[in-house]
Amino acid sequence: MEENHTPQDEDDQVPSTADALEEGDEGDELYEHHRIRADKGQELLRLDKFLLNRLPSTSRTRIQNAIRAEAVQVNDRPAKSNYRVKPLDVITITLPEPPREFKVVPEPMALDIRFEDSELLLVNKPAGLVVHPAFGNWNGTLVNGLAYHLNNLPTGRNGEIRPGLVHRIDKDTSGLLVVGKTEWAMTHLSQQFFHHTIERTYLALVWGVPKETSGTIRGHIGRSVKDRKIQAVYPDGEQGKHAVTHYQVLRSFGKVALLKCNLETGRTHQIRAHMKHIGHPLFGDATYGGDKIVYGQRTGAYKSFAESALAMMPRQALHAKSLGFVHPTTHERLHFEVELPADFEALLAKWEQYAE
């Protein structure tokens, strides 16, 4: 018996090209997770051979890398390749995103790379750039640029280019992404995302000021039954997947506030949906109602000011500020930060002047 889970299952319900979320806004964490229970009549069999039999589309190399990274567990404990699978054993395995059924066309692109070694790189993605090729965006994506930059991207069994991604951010969100350059790095990083040991900090400008200076938002997130282009929060857990966002108010400007958000989980539009749920949608976020005046009178001088602020940054005010993780080969704990983009800085300066 096998239960398969992917981040698309968790974040995105695996949308078809016909009912995908808005272009470029795909899931956050990119891995596949399998849970397999051995049959009652299972004969003793090496763990690696057992997994090859149960996951015929997965290569021996991917399975061996997962075992080395302790991404394979038997009855909730890491196991070696030579472990003998017994009847009713429960085996879980976390793997990088599986190969796609399309070819990635390498395209020259100016990439803002902040760190790179033989295993991985950190890229600072500008707002407006789609991360991954998908329906409506087959070219001009970050992955197309990465394919050009990295001639040795990991390849799938049939030779198609693997993008090396283990997570994504929305098209109109700026900030840091970590990219695995080898199958081993992708496996190791995917394991860290699955166990929520990756440190991710975002800066968000929201409408209004939360009553508490810090807090935690807990609420399942899943595709809205009313509008399939957005994600809804289901606080009772009747739908969607478990999601947790921690926030802290950094600065208050009266009608808006700058928050630091730390993700404990990685769901599609998690911060955007969670902040909308508590009544503080992201400034400029058209998908979740933040592209109009939410706090303050819609008349007079304030109306003119707020509308001009919205016009100067016509996207959600969200920036992936920092990433922290363990390096796949050196095992050193790394931490990276990037500055706010110019449009976000200018927007904050405008609100700061208004609040004085």
PDB file of all heavy atoms in Angstrom, residues 104 107 109-112 121 123-126 129-133 139-148 163 165 167 169 175 177 179:
ATOM      1  N   VAL A 104      13.567  22.143 -21.221  1.00  0.00           N
ATOM      2  CA  VAL A 104      13.847  23.520 -20.825  1.00  0.00           C
ATOM      3  C   VAL A 104      14.838  24.104 -21.812  1.00  0.00           C
ATOM      4  O   VAL A 104      15.927  23.554 -22.011  1.00  0.00           O
ATOM      5  CB  VAL A 104      14.420  23.582 -19.393  1.00  0.00           C
ATOM      6  CG1 VAL A 104      14.806  25.020 -19.043  1.00  0.00           C
ATOM      7  CG2 VAL A 104      13.409  23.048 -18.385  1.00  0.00           C
ATOM      8  N   GLU A 107      18.335  30.011 -21.958  1.00  0.00           N
ATOM      9  CA  GLU A 107      18.254  31.361 -22.485  1.00  0.00           C
ATOM     10  C   GLU A 107      19.226  32.267 -21.723  1.00  0.00           C
ATOM     11  O   GLU A 107      19.248  32.241 -20.491  1.00  0.00           O
ATOM     12  CB  GLU A 107      16.839  31.917 -22.340  1.00  0.00           C
ATOM     13  CG  GLU A 107      15.774  31.134 -23.084  1.00  0.00           C
ATOM     14  CD  GLU A 107      14.380  31.694 -22.824  1.00  0.00           C
ATOM     15  OE1 GLU A 107      14.262  32.911 -22.572  1.00  0.00           O
ATOM     16  OE2 GLU A 107      13.424  30.907 -22.853  1.00  0.00           O
ATOM     17  N   MET A 109      20.506  35.199 -19.663  1.00  0.00           N
ATOM     18  CA  MET A 109      19.750  36.034 -18.744  1.00  0.00           C
ATOM     19  C   MET A 109      20.690  36.597 -17.688  1.00  0.00           C
ATOM     20  O   MET A 109      21.579  35.880 -17.202  1.00  0.00           O
ATOM     21  CB  MET A 109      18.643  35.202 -18.072  1.00  0.00           C
ATOM     22  CG  MET A 109      17.704  35.980 -17.174  1.00  0.00           C
ATOM     23  SD  MET A 109      16.431  34.884 -16.458  1.00  0.00           S
ATOM     24  CE  MET A 109      15.581  34.322 -17.953  1.00  0.00           C
ATOM     25  N   ALA A 110      20.504  37.851 -17.332  1.00  0.00           N
ATOM     26  CA  ALA A 110      21.302  38.451 -16.255  1.00  0.00           C
ATOM     27  C   ALA A 110      20.764  37.941 -14.925  1.00  0.00           C
ATOM     28  O   ALA A 110      19.629  38.243 -14.551  1.00  0.00           O
ATOM     29  CB  ALA A 110      21.217  39.971 -16.329  1.00  0.00           C
ATOM     30  N   LEU A 111      21.560  37.146 -14.235  1.00  0.00           N
ATOM     31  CA  LEU A 111      21.158  36.575 -12.954  1.00  0.00           C
ATOM     32  C   LEU A 111      21.919  37.256 -11.819  1.00  0.00           C
ATOM     33  O   LEU A 111      23.134  37.417 -11.885  1.00  0.00           O
ATOM     34  CB  LEU A 111      21.437  35.069 -12.930  1.00  0.00           C
ATOM     35  CG  LEU A 111      20.720  34.218 -13.977  1.00  0.00           C
ATOM     36  CD1 LEU A 111      21.198  32.770 -13.892  1.00  0.00           C
ATOM     37  CD2 LEU A 111      19.203  34.293 -13.787  1.00  0.00           C
ATOM     38  N   ASP A 112      21.198  37.626 -10.783  1.00  0.00           N
ATOM     39  CA  ASP A 112      21.808  38.243  -9.603  1.00  0.00           C
ATOM     40  C   ASP A 112      22.182  37.127  -8.617  1.00  0.00           C
ATOM     41  O   ASP A 112      21.453  36.841  -7.674  1.00  0.00           O
ATOM     42  CB  ASP A 112      20.834  39.231  -8.971  1.00  0.00           C
ATOM     43  CG  ASP A 112      21.430  39.978  -7.785  1.00  0.00           C
ATOM     44  OD1 ASP A 112      22.642  39.808  -7.516  1.00  0.00           O
ATOM     45  OD2 ASP A 112      20.681  40.705  -7.112  1.00  0.00           O
ATOM     46  N   LEU A 121      23.640  27.230  -5.594  1.00  0.00           N
ATOM     47  CA  LEU A 121      23.784  28.664  -5.753  1.00  0.00           C
ATOM     48  C   LEU A 121      22.572  29.356  -5.135  1.00  0.00           C
ATOM     49  O   LEU A 121      21.502  28.769  -4.994  1.00  0.00           O
ATOM     50  CB  LEU A 121      23.976  29.073  -7.219  1.00  0.00           C
ATOM     51  CG  LEU A 121      22.853  28.854  -8.236  1.00  0.00           C
ATOM     52  CD1 LEU A 121      21.789  29.950  -8.173  1.00  0.00           C
ATOM     53  CD2 LEU A 121      23.428  28.814  -9.650  1.00  0.00           C
ATOM     54  N   VAL A 123      20.245  32.775  -5.690  1.00  0.00           N
ATOM     55  CA  VAL A 123      19.941  33.820  -6.662  1.00  0.00           C
ATOM     56  C   VAL A 123      18.898  34.763  -6.074  1.00  0.00           C
ATOM     57  O   VAL A 123      17.959  34.328  -5.392  1.00  0.00           O
ATOM     58  CB  VAL A 123      19.450  33.205  -7.999  1.00  0.00           C
ATOM     59  CG1 VAL A 123      18.180  32.401  -7.813  1.00  0.00           C
ATOM     60  CG2 VAL A 123      19.244  34.291  -9.052  1.00  0.00           C
ATOM     61  N   ASN A 124      19.078  36.040  -6.321  1.00  0.00           N
ATOM     62  CA  ASN A 124      18.139  37.062  -5.889  1.00  0.00           C
ATOM     63  C   ASN A 124      17.192  37.340  -7.058  1.00  0.00           C
ATOM     64  O   ASN A 124      17.570  37.970  -8.039  1.00  0.00           O
ATOM     65  CB  ASN A 124      18.895  38.332  -5.486  1.00  0.00           C
ATOM     66  CG  ASN A 124      17.985  39.410  -4.945  1.00  0.00           C
ATOM     67  OD1 ASN A 124      16.902  39.134  -4.435  1.00  0.00           O
ATOM     68  ND2 ASN A 124      18.429  40.660  -5.047  1.00  0.00           N
ATOM     69  N   LYS A 125      15.958  36.841  -6.963  1.00  0.00           N
ATOM     70  CA  LYS A 125      15.003  36.955  -8.070  1.00  0.00           C
ATOM     71  C   LYS A 125      14.291  38.309  -8.039  1.00  0.00           C
ATOM     72  O   LYS A 125      13.763  38.704  -7.006  1.00  0.00           O
ATOM     73  CB  LYS A 125      13.952  35.845  -7.977  1.00  0.00           C
ATOM     74  CG  LYS A 125      12.997  35.810  -9.178  1.00  0.00           C
ATOM     75  CD  LYS A 125      11.827  34.891  -8.940  1.00  0.00           C
ATOM     76  CE  LYS A 125      10.714  35.554  -8.172  1.00  0.00           C
ATOM     77  NZ  LYS A 125       9.995  36.625  -8.937  1.00  0.00           N
ATOM     78  N   PRO A 126      14.261  39.006  -9.164  1.00  0.00           N
ATOM     79  CA  PRO A 126      13.505  40.258  -9.194  1.00  0.00           C
ATOM     80  C   PRO A 126      12.001  39.995  -9.305  1.00  0.00           C
ATOM     81  O   PRO A 126      11.570  38.951  -9.810  1.00  0.00           O
ATOM     82  CB  PRO A 126      14.031  40.948 -10.459  1.00  0.00           C
ATOM     83  CG  PRO A 126      14.425  39.809 -11.360  1.00  0.00           C
ATOM     84  CD  PRO A 126      14.949  38.729 -10.442  1.00  0.00           C
ATOM     85  N   LEU A 129       9.530  38.211 -12.504  1.00  0.00           N
ATOM     86  CA  LEU A 129      10.141  37.075 -13.200  1.00  0.00           C
ATOM     87  C   LEU A 129       9.504  35.773 -12.722  1.00  0.00           C
ATOM     88  O   LEU A 129       9.531  35.452 -11.535  1.00  0.00           O
ATOM     89  CB  LEU A 129      11.653  37.048 -12.931  1.00  0.00           C
ATOM     90  CG  LEU A 129      12.447  35.893 -13.579  1.00  0.00           C
ATOM     91  CD1 LEU A 129      12.365  35.958 -15.095  1.00  0.00           C
ATOM     92  CD2 LEU A 129      13.899  35.913 -13.103  1.00  0.00           C
ATOM     93  N   VAL A 130       8.923  35.021 -13.665  1.00  0.00           N
ATOM     94  CA  VAL A 130       8.365  33.709 -13.350  1.00  0.00           C
ATOM     95  C   VAL A 130       9.511  32.744 -13.055  1.00  0.00           C
ATOM     96  O   VAL A 130      10.543  32.770 -13.738  1.00  0.00           O
ATOM     97  CB  VAL A 130       7.509  33.182 -14.523  1.00  0.00           C
ATOM     98  CG1 VAL A 130       7.018  31.768 -14.256  1.00  0.00           C
ATOM     99  CG2 VAL A 130       6.327  34.110 -14.765  1.00  0.00           C
ATOM    100  N   VAL A 131       9.360  31.899 -12.051  1.00  0.00           N
ATOM    101  CA  VAL A 131      10.441  30.997 -11.661  1.00  0.00           C
ATOM    102  C   VAL A 131      10.534  29.798 -12.580  1.00  0.00           C
ATOM    103  O   VAL A 131      11.609  29.457 -13.068  1.00  0.00           O
ATOM    104  CB  VAL A 131      10.265  30.542 -10.196  1.00  0.00           C
ATOM    105  CG1 VAL A 131      11.261  29.434  -9.843  1.00  0.00           C
ATOM    106  CG2 VAL A 131      10.458  31.717  -9.254  1.00  0.00           C
ATOM    107  N   HIS A 132       9.412  29.140 -12.834  1.00  0.00           N
ATOM    108  CA  HIS A 132       9.436  27.835 -13.494  1.00  0.00           C
ATOM    109  C   HIS A 132       8.565  27.840 -14.745  1.00  0.00           C
ATOM    110  O   HIS A 132       7.463  28.386 -14.728  1.00  0.00           O
ATOM    111  CB  HIS A 132       8.913  26.772 -12.519  1.00  0.00           C
ATOM    112  CG  HIS A 132       9.300  25.377 -12.858  1.00  0.00           C
ATOM    113  ND1 HIS A 132       8.837  24.736 -13.980  1.00  0.00           N
ATOM    114  CD2 HIS A 132      10.105  24.482 -12.228  1.00  0.00           C
ATOM    115  CE1 HIS A 132       9.337  23.509 -14.017  1.00  0.00           C
ATOM    116  NE2 HIS A 132      10.105  23.334 -12.965  1.00  0.00           N
ATOM    117  N   PRO A 133       9.029  27.251 -15.860  1.00  0.00           N
ATOM    118  CA  PRO A 133       8.169  27.155 -17.038  1.00  0.00           C
ATOM    119  C   PRO A 133       6.873  26.420 -16.718  1.00  0.00           C
ATOM    120  O   PRO A 133       6.871  25.414 -16.007  1.00  0.00           O
ATOM    121  CB  PRO A 133       9.021  26.337 -18.032  1.00  0.00           C
ATOM    122  CG  PRO A 133      10.426  26.535 -17.586  1.00  0.00           C
ATOM    123  CD  PRO A 133      10.351  26.626 -16.082  1.00  0.00           C
ATOM    124  N   ASN A 139       8.865  30.209 -21.753  1.00  0.00           N
ATOM    125  CA  ASN A 139      10.164  30.842 -21.984  1.00  0.00           C
ATOM    126  C   ASN A 139      10.313  32.063 -21.086  1.00  0.00           C
ATOM    127  O   ASN A 139       9.349  32.560 -20.522  1.00  0.00           O
ATOM    128  CB  ASN A 139      10.307  31.259 -23.456  1.00  0.00           C
ATOM    129  CG  ASN A 139      10.096  30.093 -24.404  1.00  0.00           C
ATOM    130  OD1 ASN A 139       9.064  30.022 -25.058  1.00  0.00           O
ATOM    131  ND2 ASN A 139      11.053  29.200 -24.478  1.00  0.00           N
ATOM    132  N   GLY A 140      11.550  32.527 -20.965  1.00  0.00           N
ATOM    133  CA  GLY A 140      11.802  33.738 -20.214  1.00  0.00           C
ATOM    134  C   GLY A 140      11.685  33.592 -18.716  1.00  0.00           C
ATOM    135  O   GLY A 140      11.551  34.595 -18.003  1.00  0.00           O
ATOM    136  N   THR A 141      11.754  32.361 -18.206  1.00  0.00           N
ATOM    137  CA  THR A 141      11.646  32.135 -16.766  1.00  0.00           C
ATOM    138  C   THR A 141      13.044  32.038 -16.137  1.00  0.00           C
ATOM    139  O   THR A 141      14.056  31.908 -16.833  1.00  0.00           O
ATOM    140  CB  THR A 141      10.874  30.851 -16.454  1.00  0.00           C
ATOM    141  OG1 THR A 141      11.694  29.709 -16.774  1.00  0.00           O
ATOM    142  CG2 THR A 141       9.573  30.778 -17.252  1.00  0.00           C
ATOM    143  N   LEU A 142      13.074  32.063 -14.813  1.00  0.00           N
ATOM    144  CA  LEU A 142      14.339  31.925 -14.107  1.00  0.00           C
ATOM    145  C   LEU A 142      15.017  30.605 -14.459  1.00  0.00           C
ATOM    146  O   LEU A 142      16.238  30.543 -14.630  1.00  0.00           O
ATOM    147  CB  LEU A 142      14.099  31.999 -12.600  1.00  0.00           C
ATOM    148  CG  LEU A 142      15.335  31.801 -11.711  1.00  0.00           C
ATOM    149  CD1 LEU A 142      16.357  32.899 -11.949  1.00  0.00           C
ATOM    150  CD2 LEU A 142      14.929  31.740 -10.243  1.00  0.00           C
ATOM    151  N   VAL A 143      14.236  29.542 -14.583  1.00  0.00           N
ATOM    152  CA  VAL A 143      14.804  28.237 -14.913  1.00  0.00           C
ATOM    153  C   VAL A 143      15.466  28.250 -16.282  1.00  0.00           C
ATOM    154  O   VAL A 143      16.511  27.627 -16.481  1.00  0.00           O
ATOM    155  CB  VAL A 143      13.727  27.140 -14.814  1.00  0.00           C
ATOM    156  CG1 VAL A 143      14.181  25.852 -15.494  1.00  0.00           C
ATOM    157  CG2 VAL A 143      13.401  26.858 -13.354  1.00  0.00           C
ATOM    158  N   ASN A 144      14.893  28.976 -17.245  1.00  0.00           N
ATOM    159  CA  ASN A 144      15.544  29.100 -18.555  1.00  0.00           C
ATOM    160  C   ASN A 144      16.905  29.766 -18.415  1.00  0.00           C
ATOM    161  O   ASN A 144      17.893  29.356 -19.038  1.00  0.00           O
ATOM    162  CB  ASN A 144      14.668  29.894 -19.518  1.00  0.00           C
ATOM    163  CG  ASN A 144      13.352  29.210 -19.841  1.00  0.00           C
ATOM    164  OD1 ASN A 144      12.290  29.657 -19.391  1.00  0.00           O
ATOM    165  ND2 ASN A 144      13.409  28.138 -20.595  1.00  0.00           N
ATOM    166  N   GLY A 145      16.976  30.798 -17.584  1.00  0.00           N
ATOM    167  CA  GLY A 145      18.249  31.469 -17.350  1.00  0.00           C
ATOM    168  C   GLY A 145      19.236  30.588 -16.608  1.00  0.00           C
ATOM    169  O   GLY A 145      20.440  30.594 -16.908  1.00  0.00           O
ATOM    170  N   LEU A 146      18.748  29.803 -15.638  1.00  0.00           N
ATOM    171  CA  LEU A 146      19.617  28.889 -14.901  1.00  0.00           C
ATOM    172  C   LEU A 146      20.161  27.795 -15.813  1.00  0.00           C
ATOM    173  O   LEU A 146      21.321  27.386 -15.699  1.00  0.00           O
ATOM    174  CB  LEU A 146      18.846  28.257 -13.742  1.00  0.00           C
ATOM    175  CG  LEU A 146      18.543  29.167 -12.548  1.00  0.00           C
ATOM    176  CD1 LEU A 146      17.571  28.487 -11.599  1.00  0.00           C
ATOM    177  CD2 LEU A 146      19.827  29.545 -11.819  1.00  0.00           C
ATOM    178  N   ALA A 147      19.329  27.322 -16.740  1.00  0.00           N
ATOM    179  CA  ALA A 147      19.770  26.285 -17.670  1.00  0.00           C
ATOM    180  C   ALA A 147      20.923  26.782 -18.532  1.00  0.00           C
ATOM    181  O   ALA A 147      21.837  26.026 -18.873  1.00  0.00           O
ATOM    182  CB  ALA A 147      18.607  25.832 -18.541  1.00  0.00           C
ATOM    183  N   TYR A 148      20.886  28.065 -18.873  1.00  0.00           N
ATOM    184  CA  TYR A 148      21.976  28.642 -19.656  1.00  0.00           C
ATOM    185  C   TYR A 148      23.229  28.798 -18.792  1.00  0.00           C
ATOM    186  O   TYR A 148      24.343  28.525 -19.232  1.00  0.00           O
ATOM    187  CB  TYR A 148      21.541  30.001 -20.214  1.00  0.00           C
ATOM    188  CG  TYR A 148      22.553  30.642 -21.140  1.00  0.00           C
ATOM    189  CD1 TYR A 148      22.565  30.340 -22.494  1.00  0.00           C
ATOM    190  CD2 TYR A 148      23.483  31.554 -20.651  1.00  0.00           C
ATOM    191  CE1 TYR A 148      23.487  30.914 -23.349  1.00  0.00           C
ATOM    192  CE2 TYR A 148      24.417  32.140 -21.501  1.00  0.00           C
ATOM    193  CZ  TYR A 148      24.412  31.814 -22.844  1.00  0.00           C
ATOM    194  OH  TYR A 148      25.326  32.384 -23.687  1.00  0.00           O
ATOM    195  N   PRO A 163      15.625  21.359 -13.518  1.00  0.00           N
ATOM    196  CA  PRO A 163      15.887  22.750 -13.162  1.00  0.00           C
ATOM    197  C   PRO A 163      16.690  22.946 -11.893  1.00  0.00           C
ATOM    198  O   PRO A 163      17.264  23.999 -11.679  1.00  0.00           O
ATOM    199  CB  PRO A 163      14.479  23.337 -13.002  1.00  0.00           C
ATOM    200  CG  PRO A 163      13.612  22.160 -12.695  1.00  0.00           C
ATOM    201  CD  PRO A 163      14.203  21.019 -13.470  1.00  0.00           C
ATOM    202  N   LEU A 165      15.606  23.188  -8.870  1.00  0.00           N
ATOM    203  CA  LEU A 165      14.867  23.934  -7.862  1.00  0.00           C
ATOM    204  C   LEU A 165      14.351  23.019  -6.762  1.00  0.00           C
ATOM    205  O   LEU A 165      13.929  21.893  -7.021  1.00  0.00           O
ATOM    206  CB  LEU A 165      13.677  24.653  -8.484  1.00  0.00           C
ATOM    207  CG  LEU A 165      13.972  25.737  -9.516  1.00  0.00           C
ATOM    208  CD1 LEU A 165      12.671  26.317 -10.033  1.00  0.00           C
ATOM    209  CD2 LEU A 165      14.835  26.827  -8.910  1.00  0.00           C
ATOM    210  N   HIS A 167      12.490  24.870  -4.252  1.00  0.00           N
ATOM    211  CA  HIS A 167      11.362  25.704  -3.825  1.00  0.00           C
ATOM    212  C   HIS A 167      11.193  26.825  -4.832  1.00  0.00           C
ATOM    213  O   HIS A 167      12.023  27.013  -5.727  1.00  0.00           O
ATOM    214  CB  HIS A 167      11.580  26.269  -2.408  1.00  0.00           C
ATOM    215  CG  HIS A 167      12.688  27.275  -2.304  1.00  0.00           C
ATOM    216  ND1 HIS A 167      12.571  28.468  -1.632  1.00  0.00           N
ATOM    217  CD2 HIS A 167      13.964  27.259  -2.783  1.00  0.00           C
ATOM    218  CE1 HIS A 167      13.711  29.139  -1.685  1.00  0.00           C
ATOM    219  NE2 HIS A 167      14.569  28.428  -2.379  1.00  0.00           N
ATOM    220  N   ILE A 169       9.195  30.997  -5.421  1.00  0.00           N
ATOM    221  CA  ILE A 169       8.444  32.120  -4.896  1.00  0.00           C
ATOM    222  C   ILE A 169       7.599  32.678  -6.028  1.00  0.00           C
ATOM    223  O   ILE A 169       7.880  32.459  -7.207  1.00  0.00           O
ATOM    224  CB  ILE A 169       9.350  33.218  -4.281  1.00  0.00           C
ATOM    225  CG1 ILE A 169      10.394  33.710  -5.274  1.00  0.00           C
ATOM    226  CG2 ILE A 169      10.008  32.711  -3.025  1.00  0.00           C
ATOM    227  CD1 ILE A 169      11.286  34.818  -4.715  1.00  0.00           C
ATOM    228  N   GLY A 175      13.259  38.276  -4.174  1.00  0.00           N
ATOM    229  CA  GLY A 175      14.079  37.723  -3.108  1.00  0.00           C
ATOM    230  C   GLY A 175      14.799  36.436  -3.417  1.00  0.00           C
ATOM    231  O   GLY A 175      14.924  36.014  -4.572  1.00  0.00           O
ATOM    232  N   LEU A 177      16.327  32.619  -3.609  1.00  0.00           N
ATOM    233  CA  LEU A 177      16.029  31.214  -3.905  1.00  0.00           C
ATOM    234  C   LEU A 177      17.331  30.438  -3.851  1.00  0.00           C
ATOM    235  O   LEU A 177      18.367  30.907  -4.321  1.00  0.00           O
ATOM    236  CB  LEU A 177      15.433  31.066  -5.311  1.00  0.00           C
ATOM    237  CG  LEU A 177      13.963  31.411  -5.512  1.00  0.00           C
ATOM    238  CD1 LEU A 177      13.665  31.520  -6.997  1.00  0.00           C
ATOM    239  CD2 LEU A 177      13.073  30.345  -4.886  1.00  0.00           C
ATOM    240  N   VAL A 179      19.246  27.030  -5.190  1.00  0.00           N
ATOM    241  CA  VAL A 179      19.156  26.113  -6.333  1.00  0.00           C
ATOM    242  C   VAL A 179      20.207  25.023  -6.179  1.00  0.00           C
ATOM    243  O   VAL A 179      21.394  25.328  -6.008  1.00  0.00           O
ATOM    244  CB  VAL A 179      19.376  26.873  -7.660  1.00  0.00           C
ATOM    245  CG1 VAL A 179      19.298  25.921  -8.846  1.00  0.00           C
ATOM    246  CG2 VAL A 179      18.371  28.009  -7.805  1.00  0.00           C
TER     247      VAL A 179
END
